Amino acid sequence: MLRINVIIPLLVLNFFRDVTAFDDIQCRIWCYSQPAVQTADGCLCGMKMDGLEAGPFDAFVGVPFAKPPVGALRFANPIPIDPWEGPLNVTTTKPMCIQKYDIFPLASVRGQEDCLYLNVYRPKKCRKKKLPVMVYIHGGGYIGESADPRVIGPEKFMDTRKVILVSLQYRLGPFGFLSSDDCSAPGNFGLKDQSMALRWVQRNIESFGGDRRRVTVFGHSAGGAAVQFHMMSPLSEGLFSKAISQSGSALSFWSKQYPDQLGLVRKLAVAAEVEGAVRMNSRELIKALRKVDAAKLLLSVDKLKFWHNQPIILFRPVVEKHVDDETFLREDPRELWATGRYQKIPWMTGYLPDDGIAVLLSIFTDLLEPFIANQQELLPLLADVPPSSGPALLERFFGGNPIGPENAFALTEVMSEVGFKYPMMESILQHLINDPQSESPVSLYYLNFKGRYSCSTMLPIFTGPDSGACHAEELMYLFRQPIQYLDFPKDSPEAAMSRLLVNEWINFATKGKLSLPQRGGSERPSQQIGMVEFTNSDGPSGVTTIHRGFEDAKIAELWNLLRWWNVVRVQ
């Protein structure tokens, strides 16, 4: 006969199993004909969305994962959402996080502070076997964009029926990245929002049919840099098993913090007309800034720029000086990455020919003439190099000639190299040195595809007539973006490129690598990297992949630019 100390735990265990089963049944009853999922926080009633080619799928849009960061929670670490009673209808897109997206000319304030929501999409006929999970972090220079399904549309991933897709929102600009360099406002709130969303995924994704042990986090631009930060953060350790950084690096100059964070906070308070700001300590400054109207606070950031909208990104990830259990980044990320102190997992990164256009739109549209007039001062500032390196920039990119209207498009290549290719190759080199045996392989891709909506086709003045894809163009192939572009015809090269990229991204999420042969046997770690190029072809589909080995001229070009910028940045 079983002893009482064995029977009681079994009864308790069965009781909680019954409670969980009852909650799940009750949730299905509440949601009726809607897709229903009982999470650890409560019942979610979703909706059905139409795919492009493979029928409908389940969508749970606007799922809260943290308390609204308003009032006393502005400039504070995120707090998990409280459980709720009854069903929660998650069928409506939530507003974007409040932002003034200065990458674009004439940017205005949009969104709201109450914005910490995520979206979950799953195939309609989910197999009994748990599916891999892909979590997308949007880009936008830490100051803009959102997880809106009209821009980050899940249809192309859902058509494959192979993965569960999650997209999330996080605080931006000063709301997400202001820091007082102490416990008053330690900083990195936007990155901590992302980390909390990843913990939500670990806690809940199996209720959607996902495998929490097979989570791939991927992001574009600042989202790609954030992925690399998560690989280094103790707060995100163990929350994902694979990582993809698309055209974005934590080692880029635009991800590097400004030295005097408290001084920046004080300047913002003065610009926002906080009375007595010059005499306040950090605690008083943060308390006062929490009371400033959100739109006024964002508009006040404009007063801190040294030239028109430059620098576009003022509030960035920081090394937190106040360290506790909620600290995201404790040491210089460059030091962490160089010494191999990050998660050793399969990692993919890549770039596009004209990534640099991301920071030049306003200059090309409104400010080219004053930039040309002040190029001696502004070019080194824009490229984040010492003033003494100005002549070297002119020689390499402009043939030794001054910048004028006829050659200004070469600014795109300047920014593509220093802002994207250089930090990407620096990251790859250090990763290969830290992991010479390829225990955590790195995959490199190059999207060199010119489609009907490519900016080099539509706006050649920005890039030069012979250029290829511009920054963020891969997103139109990975995601449906109905408020920006018409759907591609099914038999078009663009549709073929969509299918190719989505399947390659899913292949990486499943196997940890692209369709690329293993690295070669060279004894030099810096040479042991291959690349997959996605490009146009004359074949029936209009697209192809080119596998480039470590001896390929394109790979050599990338290593050469790494060496060149290493010299120019310290002159």
Side-chain angles (χ1 to χ4, degrees):
M1 180 177 291
L2 289 173
R3 291 182 301 176
I4 191 71
N5 63 345
V6 174
I7 294 173
I8 291 177
L10 286 173
L11 291 173
V12 171
L13 179 61
N14 285 330
F15 170 77
F16 280 109
R17 282 176 176 168
D18 290 343
V19 168
T20 302
F22 174 80
D23 288 343
D24 186 64
I25 293 171
Q26 181 64 68
C27 183
R28 294 175 185 274
I29 293 172
W30 277 331
C31 297
Y32 189 51
S33 62
Q34 296 173 254
V37 170
Q38 178 66 39
T39 71
D41 302 315
C43 174
L44 296 175
C45 299
M47 63 179 176
K48 299 172 183 176
M49 286 181 64
D50 291 326
L52 286 175
E53 298 178 0
F57 56 90
D58 294 342
F60 301 83
V61 179
V63 179
F65 66 87
K67 291 184 177 180
V70 299
L73 296 184
R74 182 191 282 183
F75 311 132
N77 293 338
I79 297 176
I81 193 74
D82 290 329
W84 59 85
E85 297 291 336
L88 181 64
N89 203 42
V90 283
T91 59
T92 305
T93 301
K94 297 297 183 180
M96 63 182 65
C97 288
I98 189 166
Q99 59 188 260
K100 184 172 179 287
Y101 199 11
D102 281 329
I103 285 176
F104 294 100
L106 305 176
S108 60
V109 175
R110 300 184 296 164
Q112 64 182 40
E113 286 189 85
D114 179 3
C115 65
L116 298 184
Y117 299 88
L118 54 79
N119 309 317
V120 183
Y121 309 100
R122 68 178 181 185
K124 181 62 178 173
K125 295 181 179 179
C126 207
R127 296 173 295 181
K128 291 183 179 180
K129 188 176 180 180
K130 295 174 183 175
L131 294 177
V133 181
M134 300 188 71
V135 180
Y136 180 71
I137 302 174
H138 71 76
Y142 309 117
I143 61 171
E145 296 294 355
S146 75
D148 190 326
R150 295 171 298 177
V151 178
I152 308 299
E155 290 88 348
K156 297 175 184 181
F157 281 94
M158 290 300 97
D159 278 349
T160 70
R161 297 181 177 177
K162 293 179 179 179
V163 295
I164 288 176
L165 179 67
V166 179
S167 59
L168 61 93
Q169 298 193 153
Y170 56 96
R171 283 173 282 180
L172 303 165
F175 302 98
F177 296 92
L178 176 146
S179 172
S180 61
D181 265 346
D182 61 13
C183 61
S184 300
N188 293 328
F189 307 118
L191 294 170
K192 292 171 182 175
D193 295 340
Q194 298 168 13
S195 190
M196 179 159 286
L198 289 171
R199 288 196 293 276
W200 184 96
V201 168
Q202 285 295 309
R203 193 169 69 252
N204 292 296
I205 204 62
E206 293 198 346
S207 298
F208 293 84
D211 187 346
R212 66 187 184 90
R213 296 169 300 178
R214 292 192 293 165
V215 175
T216 298
V217 59
F218 69 123
H220 170 261
S221 195
V227 168
Q228 198 174 354
F229 278 120
H230 285 292
M231 293 173 70
M232 294 182 272
S233 173
L235 202 61
S236 300
E237 187 174 0
L239 299 181
F240 53 97
S241 59
K242 302 177 186 69
I244 303 173
S245 297
Q246 301 169 210
S247 296
S249 171
L251 306 191
S252 62
F253 74 85
W254 45 265
S255 288
K256 185 178 180 181
Q257 71 181 73
Y258 284 98
D260 183 10
Q261 290 295 306
L262 181 57
L264 188 60
V265 172
R266 194 178 306 280
K267 289 177 182 177
L268 178 63
V270 171
E273 300 175 325
V274 172
E275 188 174 350
V278 294
R279 298 182 300 275
M280 290 180 175
N281 60 32
S282 63
R283 183 183 62 82
E284 293 167 335
L285 281 169
I286 297 304
K287 184 178 180 180
L289 285 172
R290 284 182 175 136
K291 297 177 181 178
V292 176
D293 174 75
K296 180 178 180 179
L297 192 66
L298 270 184
L299 292 170
S300 299
V301 174
D302 292 344
K303 301 176 184 178
L304 309 184
K305 306 297 181 75
F306 70 79
W307 185 72
H308 295 277
N309 71 338
Q310 300 291 330
I312 293 173
I313 310 168
L314 269 171
F315 296 94
R316 308 173 180 182
V318 298
V319 178
E320 296 173 52
K321 294 183 179 179
H322 174 75
V323 176
D324 58 22
D325 291 341
E326 296 182 334
T327 298
F328 184 86
L329 201 58
R330 304 178 182 212
E331 297 181 59
D332 186 340
R334 284 167 171 73
E335 181 67 19
L336 290 172
W337 195 265
T339 54
R341 287 179 288 162
Y342 52 87
Q343 294 187 59
K344 299 300 194 303
I345 57 177
W347 175 53
M348 180 168 80
T349 187
Y351 69 105
L352 282 69
D354 293 311
D355 275 316
I357 192 64
V359 294
L360 294 171
L361 284 175
S362 60
I363 290 178
F364 280 130
T365 53
D366 296 322
L367 304 171
L368 186 56
E369 187 174 333
F371 182 90
I372 290 173
N374 297 278
Q375 60 184 273
Q376 186 173 355
E377 174 189 1
L378 294 177
L379 180 59
L381 285 172
L382 189 68
D384 192 47
V385 297
S388 58
S389 295
L393 292 174
L394 290 177
E395 184 64 34
R396 176 175 173 86
F397 296 99
F398 303 93
N401 300 310
I403 302 172
E406 69 286 348
N407 64 1
F409 63 81
L411 285 169
T412 300
E413 183 57 25
V414 176
M415 299 312 298
S416 295
E417 287 198 6
V418 70
F420 299 93
K421 297 178 192 176
Y422 169 69
M424 178 190 74
M425 295 308 296
E426 184 180 22
S427 299
I428 289 174
L429 173 61
Q430 292 171 354
H431 181 76
L432 293 174
I433 293 172
N434 290 326
D435 181 36
Q437 302 305 317
S438 188
E439 294 177 4
S440 51
V442 58
S443 299
L444 176 62
Y445 73 87
Y446 174 44
L447 179 61
N448 185 28
F449 177 75
K450 185 180 288 189
R452 68 186 65 199
Y453 300 135
S454 290
C455 73
S456 56
T457 299
M458 302 173 72
L459 300 166
I461 189 174
F462 290 172
T463 60
D466 298 323
S467 298
C470 294
H471 191 67
E473 279 190 29
E474 77 268 38
L475 300 184
M476 75 171 78
Y477 305 114
L478 291 172
F479 302 108
R480 189 174 181 231
Q481 300 183 314
I483 65 173
Q484 294 179 336
Y485 305 105
L486 296 174
D487 290 333
F488 303 129
K490 290 184 179 181
D491 59 350
S492 67
E494 292 83 5
M497 180 56 71
S498 278
R499 290 188 288 270
L500 176 61
L501 286 188
V502 169
N503 283 319
E504 285 286 3
W505 262 233
I506 291 175
N507 185 70
F508 181 87
T510 304
K511 301 178 181 178
K513 61 182 180 180
L514 288 169
S515 303
L516 178 71
Q518 294 297 312
R519 297 193 311 203
S522 168
E523 295 181 359
R524 291 184 59 196
S526 63
Q527 290 183 330
Q528 295 181 359
I529 182 69
M531 181 171 72
V532 175
E533 179 176 348
F534 303 101
T535 189
N536 303 82
S537 84
D538 295 328
S541 69
V543 303
T544 190
T545 56
I546 301 173
H547 301 279
R548 299 188 182 277
F550 64 85
E551 296 179 338
D552 189 274
K554 197 71 180 179
I555 303 292
E557 177 185 311
L558 291 171
W559 292 125
N560 287 336
L561 76 83
L562 173 64
R563 287 188 283 268
W564 189 87
W565 281 101
N566 277 336
V567 172
V568 168
R569 286 172 60 81
V570 297
Q571 282 185 353

